[in-house]
Amino acid sequence: MLGGFTRITSVDIKASTRFLSKYWQPLDKRNDLLERQQPAPTRALDCGSVMITGTDRMIITRECIGIGRVTKHLLLKFFDTVDLLEQNDKFLTETKSYMGAEDYQRVGHQFNAGLQDFHPAPGVQYECIWCQWVTGHLTDEDFVQFLVRCKSALSPTDGLIVVKDNTTSSDECDADTTDSSVTRPHWLMLDIFKRAGLEVVCERKQYKMPKGLYPVYMFALK
Ligand SMILES: C[S@@+](CC[C@H](N)C(=O)[O-])C[C@H]1O[C@@H](n2cnc3c(N)ncnc32)[C@H](O)[C@@H]1O
């Protein structure tokens, strides 16, 4: 029963890993290379951190719950500390048991807020702000303003926002009344990034997604 979800999450994480590798070394390689040089610690923010099957549009099966899935399988491989931003507080309290004690040690702040209300903590700078399968829950204007605030919290040297999300195959938005979300066309994503004053520095389509699902794109923005 978990076959569909496991397959999606595996191809998803592989493609995301390849995408991030364009910009950062995985920690195990970085630590090997730099050995005792004590590189500056890096920090990422995982926005909308819980994968719930059954209510989510892109998932085939209903049983699997991944609390901090992207953090555990992707971001902690590249960054020393990962903060979580999730509006459902019940999920946040279960993060530790899903992630395991070792990975959980490197989870930093857990912000219990909607993206539309989130203001990065003063002084905190992120190398990466990762937003996957969550921006469809925002209005266009909230999405723009969220990106503007995130931009101000990026590391000035190498900070990037990554948006990974479904897009429609047509030029129109698709609304999903079951989870109050919207899937945007590719052009509208680009328009929103532009309105937020962000430049698309890299764009990739997710490969090997099962037929019948929306095309998924990754955008690196700065
Ligand atoms: C489809 S899941 C994606 C989970 C994760 N990014 C992944 O790819 O595994 C959407 C997540 O976003 C959260 N969410 C929905 N609307 C949100 C909002 N406005 N602000 C913050 N989180 C939100 C949901 O509670 C859920 O955890």
Side-chain angles (χ1 to χ4, degrees), residues 109-128:
H109 303 295
Q110 296 185 36
F111 301 108
N112 179 206
L115 273 59
Q116 64 282 2
D117 301 318
F118 174 69
H119 289 259
V124 174
Q125 289 191 334
Y126 293 105
E127 272 64 36
C128 180

Side-chain angles (χ1 to χ4, degrees), residues 143-149 151 161 189-199 221-222:
F143 190 4
V144 170
Q145 294 309 323
F146 167 72
L147 290 173
V148 168
R149 295 192 298 275
K151 188 181 177 192
I161 299 169
M189 298 294 268
L190 297 185
D191 184 63
I192 285 170
F193 303 150
K194 196 171 167 190
R195 282 159 58 190
L198 289 160
E199 177 196 349
L221 312 167
K222 72 171 187 188

Side-chain angles (χ1 to χ4, degrees), residues 74-93:
L74 177 72
L75 298 175
L76 281 174
K77 312 279 187 223
F78 286 86
F79 304 102
D80 295 297
T81 302
V82 180
D83 294 346
L84 307 180
L85 169 57
E86 165 60 48
Q87 72 175 7
N88 190 325
D89 61 338
K90 284 194 206 118
F91 296 142
L92 282 177
T93 56

Side-chain angles (χ1 to χ4, degrees), residues 31-202:
N31 291 343
D32 285 353
L33 282 176
L34 298 176
E35 289 240 295
R36 304 280 144 236
Q37 278 187 32
Q38 298 287 329
T42 52
R43 193 170 202 107
L45 174 67
D46 181 4
C47 303
S49 321
V50 184
M51 179 59 81
I52 323 136
T53 62
T55 58
D56 287 322
R57 291 162 292 153
M58 74 298 294
I59 300 304
I60 297 166
T61 59
R62 288 179 172 269
E63 283 80 6
C64 194
I65 297 182
I67 300 171
R69 182 188 72 95
V70 172
T71 293
K72 182 176 174 66
H73 299 294
L74 177 72
L75 298 175
L76 281 174
K77 312 279 187 223
F78 286 86
F79 304 102
D80 295 297
T81 302
V82 180
D83 294 346
L84 307 180
L85 169 57
E86 165 60 48
Q87 72 175 7
N88 190 325
D89 61 338
K90 284 194 206 118
F91 296 142
L92 282 177
T93 56
E94 291 178 41
T95 315
K96 187 173 181 182
S97 59
Y98 171 77
M99 296 187 72
E102 196 182 333
D103 285 339
Y104 188 73
Q105 278 178 6
R106 292 196 290 123
V107 170
H109 303 295
Q110 296 185 36
F111 301 108
N112 179 206
L115 273 59
Q116 64 282 2
D117 301 318
F118 174 69
H119 289 259
V124 174
Q125 289 191 334
Y126 293 105
E127 272 64 36
C128 180
I129 298 182
W130 189 275
C131 313
Q132 180 162 357
W133 284 324
V134 64
T135 62
H137 293 285
L138 301 180
T139 65
D140 288 0
E141 190 50 30
D142 281 345
F143 190 4
V144 170
Q145 294 309 323
F146 167 72
L147 290 173
V148 168
R149 295 192 298 275
C150 285
K151 188 181 177 192
S152 71
L154 286 179
S155 158
T157 46
D158 57 354
L160 287 178
I161 299 169
V162 179
V163 174
K164 182 166 188 175
D165 222 316
N166 296 349
T167 57
T168 56
S169 307
S170 69
D171 270 355
E172 307 287 326
C173 288
D174 280 354
D176 183 335
T177 48
T178 56
D179 68 355
S180 309
S181 68
V182 68
T183 301
R184 298 180 172 90
H186 185 271
W187 71 263
L188 183 53
M189 298 294 268
L190 297 185
D191 184 63
I192 285 170
F193 303 150
K194 196 171 167 190
R195 282 159 58 190
L198 289 160
E199 177 196 349
V200 179
V201 294
C202 184

